[in-house]
Amino acid sequence: MPSPNRYFSDSYAQARERFLAAAAPLASHVQSYAIAPTGSQGEPLATDVALIGDADAQRLLIMTSATHGVEGFCGSGCQLALLDDAPMLERARQAGVALLLVHAVNPYGFSWIARTDEDNVDLNRNAQPFDGGPLPANPGYGDIHDLLLPQTWPPTEQNRQAIARHIDEHGLAATTQAVSRGQYTHPDGLFYGGARHAPSLLNLREILRTHASRHARIGWIDVHTGLGPRGHGEKIYAGRRDDVQVARARQWWGSDLAVPYQGSSASVDITGHLAGLIYDACPTSEPTLMALEFGTLRWDEVVHALRGRNWLRAHPDADDALRRDILRATKDAFYCGQEDWHGMVLGQTRVAVLQALCGLEAAP
């Protein structure tokens, strides 16, 4: 059996080249959606789309990668493995399901080893109306922001003790919720949802309108990393607060599907969820949405890496050794390069794809 390592790339530029090469002989349509910044190697940045199968099929399965930039090292590998999985592609064809692979939703973060985009926006908190009305409030974040982004890196012992006191006072659960649910008041902070729609989010909305809206029934698997036990893929419901949609997603992917708004997920309940774009972009379609989240390191280690990456953004003059250390820690927090982790990721993703194909095929 071939090693699962062969599907995982060392950089965004390599991943993009490999994705386009693998998709070209299989896809009925390939299109690229560029953004203005350049990548860490001076390369152009774009979200690339490959449609495999009948563009007029009633059923569509979407797989997206790199919603959170650096998480694309995993998601791109899953997409490359699917492109190399002839039996699964044939299974989709027989089921009458077209496949839409969206490679690198956030190409900037993928290339620059960041979870956020070029403006520090978390795309999975950015799908808000931004129509002048109030944005979701998160006053708890303001209480800890200055501690999360200290003046020096690594953090001092005083900073660590101050954070520990904050957790003792407010509780770990409340602190985790305040840090990660999303905030719209500190543009330099963690999990910042933005003040307007990000270019990469606008690209994805256009992709959905152009390539998905004609399909009556849509499944969507958005590949993520960073939460949960190492190598475990938590299946997280990603749709609206709708019991019918939750029930359908559980029928497809199993009763262990976690639902953040019901408190059953490692993920906090967020607003501005990127998958929510589908309700506006594909208003006549029936969506069934799931984020597949693969664990890497402990949550405190992941947050530490995110803090370091935001500190580096605010201190572009940091010395090269510290920069390398921070970027390495960021990548390690969202991608495990070991073969056993690769195998766990690809095995669970393949099962999730097959379950979605079965669910779509059974839909009336």
Side-chain angles (χ1 to χ4, degrees), residues 42-300:
E43 76 275 26
L45 299 177
T47 298
D48 298 301
V49 176
L51 178 67
I52 300 170
D54 183 0
D56 295 320
Q58 288 293 297
R59 299 169 176 85
L60 177 73
L61 176 59
I62 303 170
M63 181 187 286
T64 43
S65 66
T67 293
H68 287 137
V70 64
E71 299 177 25
F73 286 98
C74 174
S76 174
C78 296
Q79 291 173 320
L80 283 171
L82 180 55
L83 288 169
D84 195 37
D85 191 341
M88 191 66 75
L89 297 179
E90 176 61 18
R91 180 70 179 82
R93 189 193 66 80
Q94 292 178 0
V97 177
L99 301 174
L100 184 68
L101 304 185
V102 183
H103 185 267
V105 173
N106 172 11
Y108 179 91
F110 194 168
S111 179
W112 288 95
I113 318 297
R115 191 173 180 274
T116 55
D117 76 350
E118 59 271 25
D119 295 315
N120 193 43
V121 172
D122 182 329
L123 296 188
N124 219 27
R125 310 295 191 276
N126 186 237
Q128 298 285 358
F130 295 116
D131 56 4
L135 292 168
N138 182 7
Y141 180 83
D143 294 338
I144 199 171
H145 171 77
D146 289 340
L147 296 178
L148 293 174
L149 271 72
Q151 292 299 311
T152 61
W153 195 266
T156 63
E157 180 60 28
Q158 291 86 347
N159 176 262
R160 289 190 287 269
Q161 291 177 1
I163 290 178
R165 287 195 297 271
H166 183 96
I167 292 173
D168 287 343
E169 180 180 350
H170 297 275
L172 180 60
T175 301
T176 300
Q177 178 81 9
V179 171
S180 61
R181 67 175 300 207
Q183 53 88 15
Y184 301 85
T185 53
H186 296 75
D188 60 337
L190 273 61
F191 299 94
Y192 174 58
R196 62 190 62 82
H197 289 140
S200 291
L201 183 130
L202 294 175
N203 276 347
L204 182 60
R205 185 173 66 184
E206 183 59 26
I207 288 166
L208 294 173
R209 287 175 174 171
T210 302
H211 302 288
S213 60
R214 67 173 63 91
H215 302 275
R217 292 175 179 83
I218 299 174
W220 186 348
I221 299 172
D222 189 22
V223 181
H224 287 263
T225 60
L227 285 178
R230 180 181 181 276
H232 170 67
E234 182 175 9
K235 298 171 288 187
I236 305 175
Y237 173 71
R240 285 175 170 168
R241 295 174 179 246
D242 184 308
D243 291 343
V244 172
Q245 292 187 38
V246 171
R248 185 169 62 246
R250 284 196 165 130
Q251 186 176 20
W252 287 21
W253 288 300
S255 60
D256 59 336
L257 181 86
V259 183
Y261 74 82
Q262 294 178 353
S264 61
S265 173
S267 172
V268 300
D269 185 21
I270 64 175
T271 62
H273 200 291
L274 177 135
L277 292 173
I278 203 165
Y279 297 104
D280 172 65
C282 308
T284 63
S285 303
E286 178 185 87
T288 307
L289 314 176
M290 189 257 283
L292 188 55
E293 177 94 34
F294 292 103
T296 51
L297 304 178
R298 297 193 320 264
W299 173 239
D300 61 315

